[in-house]
Amino acid sequence: MSLALHSQAKVFSGWHKQYTHTSDVLNCDMRFAIFLPESASFDSPVPVLYWLSGLTCTDENFMQKAGAFQKAAELGIAIVAPDTSPRGEGVADDPEQAYDFGLGAGFYLDATQPPWNQHYHMYSYVTKELPKLIEAHFPVTQVKSISGHSMGGHGALSIGLKNPQQYRSISAFSPIVHPSICPWGNKAFSHYLGDDKATWLAYDSCELLKNSTQSVPILIDQGEADNFLAEQLKTEYFVAIAEQMDRDIEVRMQPGYDHSYFFIQTFIAEHLEFHARYLK
Amino acid sequence: MSLALHSQAKVFSGWHKQYTHTSDVLNCDMRFAIFLPESASFDSPVPVLYWLSGLTCTDENFMQKAGAFQKAAELGIAIVAPDTSPRGEGVADDPEQAYDFGLGAGFYLDATQPPWNQHYHMYSYVTKELPKLIEAHFPVTQVKSISGHSMGGHGALSIGLKNPQQYRSISAFSPIVHPSICPWGNKAFSHYLGDDKATWLAYDSCELLKNSTQSVPILIDQGEADNFLAEQLKTEYFVAIAEQMDRDIEVRMQPGYDHSYFFIQTFIAEHLEFHARYLK
């Protein structure tokens, strides 16, 4: 498991670095980014927040646009941002190269249908291979939380709910909470997982929450002016299930905010403070 | 002078908006971006920081990557970011479409040589037309400061030094301080202004500082790990002149930082606090 440094820049006295590596799970070369606060050292390792980005993104969008590093440096938290799908010439893409399926749209699941099952195993990559790599190479502890935006909000919620012992806390911006019943989820799940909708439920955060037995603290921010709210995100389903359960779940509807990184920028410090309470 | 709204997003309770308009000075359509803090209203207008970006940038780079809005909202400062050159099909570009000349590389001067003198009047646009437009349409005062990065640091310093009564304070990240003697400046100035180097001095911040009679406070941050420092930026010339003058100029060499927006992100709050002291 060797890493090649792709770029590095000092930021808030810590470091933003990008690395490439060959992923066994995805069967291709991948790039990820890591922010390491100045306080991180092998004598004094720090916990990690995994950030999962949305449709069309790479490891770069959050790192460049979220404005997260000042607070992460202050709290002593590393941030790891993987890409949003397998990449490379041999990796199948949507025949129409649509933005919402194939490259840049891995949906953080393990595909079972050909040709997608050759590379599209983002679930196993994010939950197993990547943390193993990070913990082997960087001054971090095994203590971790998970967050993400839109498709990555779906990723953070579904991964966190499926692995309550692995993540201390979960947060999301504008998540796709109920992919089984929205157009983005329908398209992706039918190709990656096939037509048997029973298999979809294993990656649907509403279903996972309903059936979960262990409580992991969850914070969700959702902009009320988000163009995707009604058709794709469907936050109200998650809220309705959460209200029936006695769980530590907060869903904040934010008036006037849209689906952009300007929204994320506004509340990322509060998400980092939320995670920091459980990462210590 | 009419404006067309291109985009808007709520951020830190204020608004980021992009507008397009027809520029008389540049003889083409232009886009700019503005951040307006929540506190700005026509009953309670706020001062403006003009931000000038570097080579290849548009109005978007700073607004998306600098992480400036939390502090600007707190201080009650609007930020205006113009594009870095005239734009459009009729606007001449470098025949080789190089990144450092022509489109995206207006160098904040008024070109005198054909074909550049048809559109390339960024100096007049930034100092006259744009402020007039901003002050006519938005809840801002006429009180202003100026800042920028790299080519935009050159723009901020040269414009501020040439117009000490118009700007309360000047700051820059990684500025091209002595364009007359560096490759980027040589290429741009010889095309835009012609071969008579005497005309170049009117846009060279080292020359302008040497000959300036009015003192405007200046703050410069320069990364010591900036790949462009020795060949293009030449900060040491500006420092040497400043040291011989009894002026309010601070140049901070920042160990380990490079030329990127990660560097800007790290110190932008301190620049905003610096400007706020003079904008009140």
Side-chain angles (χ1 to χ4, degrees), chain B residues 66-80:
Chain B
F69 301 144
Q70 182 168 21
K71 183 57 73 175
E74 178 193 319
L75 297 170
I77 297 173
I79 303 175
V80 171

Side-chain angles (χ1 to χ4, degrees), chain A:
Chain A
M1 296 208 302
S2 71
L3 296 179
L5 184 66
H6 176 76
S7 81
Q8 59 176 353
K10 191 172 175 180
V11 59
F12 286 103
S13 302
W15 289 92
H16 173 269
K17 300 189 181 195
Q18 292 176 292
Y19 291 90
T20 54
H21 71 109
T22 300
S23 163
D24 292 336
V25 164
L26 299 174
N27 193 22
C28 63
D29 288 345
M30 292 293 286
R31 192 177 72 196
F32 68 85
I34 185 168
F35 168 74
L36 281 168
E38 187 184 16
S39 61
S41 71
F42 286 98
D43 287 337
S44 174
V46 297
V48 181
L49 177 68
Y50 286 82
W51 173 270
L52 306 182
S53 282
L55 291 167
T56 77
C57 292
T58 68
D59 65 298
E60 294 190 327
N61 303 63
F62 177 83
M63 295 308 213
Q64 294 185 353
K65 295 182 175 181
F69 301 144
Q70 182 168 21
K71 182 58 73 174
E74 178 193 320
L75 296 170
I77 297 173
I79 303 176
V80 171
D83 205 338
T84 56
S85 76
R87 299 276 180 182
E89 284 193 13
V91 177
D93 191 12
D94 182 304
E96 293 168 3
Q97 300 190 303
Y99 76 99
D100 57 359
F101 177 62
L103 296 179
F107 272 85
Y108 306 103
L109 49 73
D110 285 349
T112 57
Q113 304 300 303
W116 316 107
N117 57 355
Q118 285 177 45
H119 297 281
Y120 285 79
H121 303 129
M122 288 298 289
Y123 175 77
S124 291
Y125 178 68
V126 168
T127 58
K128 297 187 186 79
E129 190 181 35
L130 185 60
K132 203 171 158 191
L133 198 68
I134 298 296
E135 288 158 21
H137 287 86
F138 299 98
V140 300
T141 66
Q142 294 187 344
V143 177
K144 49 181 95 55
S145 291
I146 193 160
S147 184
H149 173 236
S150 195
M151 176 184 74
H154 142 73
L157 287 170
S158 58
I159 284 173
L161 286 164
K162 284 160 82 79
N163 300 277
Q165 291 179 308
Q166 191 168 338
Y167 301 95
R168 294 280 181 92
S169 48
I170 306 166
S171 82
F173 292 84
S174 335
I176 305 169
V177 297
H178 205 354
S180 303
I181 64 158
C182 79
W184 281 339
N186 260 283
K187 181 176 178 183
F189 284 16
S190 62
H191 286 92
Y192 292 137
L193 302 173
D195 291 332
D196 178 4
K197 292 196 176 184
T199 65
W200 299 11
L201 305 185
Y203 298 105
D204 186 303
S205 296
C206 279
E207 293 297 322
L208 291 165
L209 177 62
K210 212 185 291 175
N211 299 314
S212 70
T213 53
Q214 260 189 287
S215 182
V216 182
I218 297 175
L219 172 63
I220 294 175
D221 271 316
Q222 175 59 53
E224 289 185 353
D226 185 329
N227 286 334
F228 300 112
L229 176 53
E231 190 185 3
Q232 303 282 7
L233 307 179
K234 300 186 181 295
T235 321
E236 69 276 13
Y237 285 90
F238 198 83
V239 170
I241 297 163
E243 279 172 356
Q244 290 170 8
M245 304 176 82
D246 185 25
R247 289 288 177 87
D248 183 3
I249 299 175
E250 187 175 13
V251 181
R252 310 190 301 190
M253 299 302 294
Q254 301 285 6
Y257 287 93
D258 68 10
H259 200 71
S260 72
Y261 266 90
F262 292 121
F263 170 50
I264 296 173
Q265 209 178 93
T266 304
F267 297 104
I268 190 65
E270 294 177 22
H271 282 237
L272 288 164
E273 282 167 352
F274 162 78
H275 290 295
R277 291 206 296 277
Y278 305 101
L279 287 169
K280 297 304 166 192

